[in-house]
């Protein structure tokens, strides 16, 4: 069973930066497409960012493009989400997810595509 553990969420002010981490245990990390999603209170979970195997491609939701950056460390089995210029509307629980059995250049942006999920980490941005 693959386990994903997110960390790094906290209360910050608008304009601040924050880096989330997601450590993956079990399985072959470099075979996974990794994604970040978020869910604000009372809203559906939504796509934030994804990174392909080997990190050759990345993709972002329009709402975070230019402010967030996703990266991966295939030695540490960890995926990161660097969040800059945070806004109050970025407040949500952030989840990382892993997709197995993909081709090298494929990205996935839909929840149903992912096989494993972490428990989430809370990010709160005050105005």
């Amino acid at each position: 069973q693959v386990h994903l553990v997110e960390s790094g969420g906290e209360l910050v002010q608008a304009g601040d930066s924050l880096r989330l981490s997601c450590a993956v245990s079990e399985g072959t990390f470099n075979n996974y497409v990794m994604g970040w999603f978020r869910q604000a209170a009372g809203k559906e979970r939504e796509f934030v960012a994804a990174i392909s195997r080997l990190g050759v491609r990345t993709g972002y939701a329009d709402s975070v493009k230019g402010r967030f950056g996703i990266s991966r460390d295939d030695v540490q089995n960890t995926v990161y989400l660097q969040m800059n210029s945070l806004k109050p509307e970025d407040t949500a629980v952030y989840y990382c997810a892993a997709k197995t059995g993909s081709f090298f250049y494929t990205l996935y942006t839909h929840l149903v595509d992912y096989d494993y999920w972490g428990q989430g980490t809370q990010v709160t941005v005050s105005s």
Side-chain angles (χ1 to χ4, degrees):
Q1 183 71 18
V2 178
H3 294 281
L4 289 71
V5 179
E6 303 95 335
S7 61
E10 62 180 86
L11 171 63
V12 297
Q13 293 187 334
D16 285 352
S17 296
L18 201 58
R19 189 176 81 157
L20 305 182
S21 300
C22 173
V24 180
S25 63
E26 305 298 332
T28 306
F29 181 76
N30 59 15
N31 285 345
Y32 302 152
V33 172
M34 298 300 299
W36 284 97
F37 292 77
R38 67 186 182 186
Q39 188 167 16
K43 296 187 177 181
E44 294 186 350
R45 195 171 299 189
E46 64 177 7
F47 169 75
V48 175
I51 187 166
S52 69
R53 293 174 62 185
L54 302 181
V56 294
R57 287 186 64 199
T58 58
Y60 300 92
D62 287 343
S63 59
V64 306
K65 202 171 293 183
R67 299 188 298 122
F68 289 13
I70 188 172
S71 61
R72 63 188 297 158
D73 184 334
D74 286 358
V75 175
Q76 297 295 326
N77 290 359
T78 301
V79 63
Y80 303 98
L81 184 68
Q82 178 67 42
M83 305 185 294
N84 301 322
S85 303
L86 282 161
K87 304 175 181 180
E89 50 264 44
D90 295 318
T91 295
V93 177
Y94 284 72
Y95 299 89
C96 71
K99 160 68 179 171
T100 62
S102 61
F103 295 104
F104 277 111
Y105 300 101
T106 305
L107 289 177
Y108 298 88
T109 62
H110 296 96
L111 279 71
V112 296
D113 292 327
Y114 285 82
D115 302 301
Y116 301 102
W117 291 83
Q119 293 300 306
T121 185
Q122 176 71 49
V123 173
T124 304
V125 184
S126 65
S127 58

